[in-house]
Amino acid sequence: MPLILAQNEVSLSGHAYGDRTGISYEYPPRYRSVIQPGERFIYYMGRRRLTGSNAPQAYFGSGLIGRVQTSSSDPQLLECEILDYRPFAEHLYFKKTDGSYRESRAAEQGGYFRNGVRIVSEATFDEILVAAEALAPEDQIASGRISVNYVTAETRDEIERYSVDVAKRELITQFPGQSILEMPHNNPGYDICVGNPLNPTRFVEVKGTQRVDPVFFLTEGERLFSDTHAERYHLIVVHGIDLLARTHRVSFRDGSLKGLAELEVTQWRGRLPWQRPS
């Protein structure tokens, strides 16, 4: 589930956490099971300031959780890498115009905002992003400086559909005359079967991203499937997707992903080389 990460100038505990906006986030071990690689988050800033004054509570950016490790400054704490950080064009006030909280559970739980890390629903996450990006100048959205990766669940579905369609066209070219069969949604291990379904020529996994680099997230089950079927496994990453212009780039890899550079444990993060194989 998506998260809200509080990055406050002054914490209730008085501890000065070693956060670096868009780079890393330091936190106590009680959030160990919540902060996981690959999870999406929105930054939140509380009202307390170092000067002793108060300021409006607001949301100010979004990103992805990366690698988690023991804090480099305090062995009693943990820290996570921040990936794909996108600042909002303007801070978004934590209440709506009707006075209700953007995080609806705040009205139900006393002391809700004392939690530095909060789980929110997909609907709440999307609503905050939509509201924040409605403030962004059109030129910033078009240039990619504002996060369009996580706008709505519908957009994520469209990216997935776009990626699979691109992959199918690529496979028709790579494997002329062979059957290209799209598997049911969330089929374990692969998305497309090339050849006879009873004895496939290739098991094809498809990943799609609006990021320019061919970066993807992989479950442990997907990684193990690539090992077990290494001789027939084929990964396609459709990246740099622009849904409006209908443009993209494509990168490929054959074989097990076990030895892939920049592949990290828990939710596997990998990167394919830019070069398209001959």
Side-chain angles (χ1 to χ4, degrees):
M1 295 289 286
L3 306 172
I4 304 296
L5 300 185
Q7 184 172 295
N8 300 316
E9 290 186 8
V10 179
S11 67
L12 285 174
S13 67
H15 179 83
Y17 287 98
D19 299 333
R20 294 180 295 167
T21 303
I23 299 174
S24 65
Y25 185 79
E26 190 176 65
Y27 55 96
R30 68 176 177 272
Y31 297 123
R32 184 191 306 271
S33 63
V34 176
I35 297 180
Q36 294 291 321
E39 191 54 83
R40 294 158 296 144
F41 75 87
I42 291 172
Y43 271 130
Y44 165 88
M45 176 75 72
R47 66 176 180 270
R48 292 180 177 84
R49 296 294 183 264
L50 288 172
T51 60
S53 63
N54 290 334
Q57 296 154 262
Y59 306 97
F60 63 92
S62 67
L64 290 173
I65 302 297
R67 181 177 59 249
V68 174
Q69 62 186 19
T70 300
S71 171
S72 56
S73 60
D74 186 340
Q76 301 302 312
L77 299 174
L78 298 173
E79 67 179 7
C80 65
E81 178 186 20
I82 299 300
L83 305 174
D84 207 24
Y85 170 56
R86 308 292 180 90
F88 295 159
E90 298 181 24
H91 285 201
L92 176 69
Y93 189 53
F94 79 125
K95 288 184 177 181
K96 302 177 184 178
T97 54
D98 63 3
S100 63
Y101 294 105
R102 296 190 185 278
E103 294 177 66
S104 58
R105 281 186 286 182
E108 306 163 5
Q109 301 176 16
Y112 176 82
F113 289 100
R114 293 179 182 176
N115 295 312
V117 178
R118 305 186 291 271
I119 299 173
V120 294
S121 68
E122 293 281 352
T124 295
F125 185 84
D126 287 344
E127 286 171 5
I128 293 173
L129 286 175
V130 168
E133 293 183 352
L135 301 173
E138 292 184 2
D139 61 332
Q140 287 189 302
I141 296 175
S143 68
R145 291 197 297 272
I146 300 301
S147 174
V148 294
N149 300 53
Y150 322 120
V151 174
T152 64
E154 288 75 16
T155 298
R156 291 193 292 275
D157 290 344
E158 188 176 356
I159 290 170
E160 181 178 348
R161 180 70 263 158
Y162 183 95
S163 302
V164 171
D165 288 343
V166 168
K168 288 167 69 175
R169 292 195 297 269
E170 293 285 343
L171 292 168
I172 289 172
T173 301
Q174 291 184 41
F175 302 95
Q178 296 204 42
S179 172
I180 307 298
L181 178 64
E182 183 177 344
M183 306 307 293
H185 185 65
N186 290 332
N187 183 65
Y190 64 106
D191 298 306
I192 299 174
C193 168
V194 177
N196 186 340
L198 299 178
N199 187 27
T201 302
R202 288 288 189 279
F203 298 102
V204 182
E205 177 66 21
V206 181
K207 301 292 184 181
T209 177
Q210 290 179 308
R211 293 185 62 174
V212 175
D213 292 340
V215 174
F216 60 93
F217 287 94
L218 194 70
T219 67
E220 178 64 1
E222 290 170 335
R223 186 191 70 84
L224 290 174
F225 187 91
S226 79
D227 279 353
T228 305
H229 302 84
E231 293 184 357
R232 292 183 288 173
Y233 187 83
H234 191 60
L235 173 67
I236 296 179
V237 180
V238 183
H239 53 106
I241 296 173
D242 185 327
L243 293 173
L244 293 177
R246 313 303 287 181
T247 57
H248 59 271
R249 296 185 174 100
V250 182
S251 294
F252 305 89
R253 179 184 170 91
D254 280 318
S256 171
L257 301 178
K258 185 175 182 179
L260 182 64
E262 295 190 27
L263 197 60
E264 300 168 359
V265 180
T266 305
Q267 183 174 4
W268 295 91
R269 177 180 182 268
R271 183 190 301 271
L272 290 181
W274 275 90
Q275 293 79 13
R276 179 170 177 169
S278 57

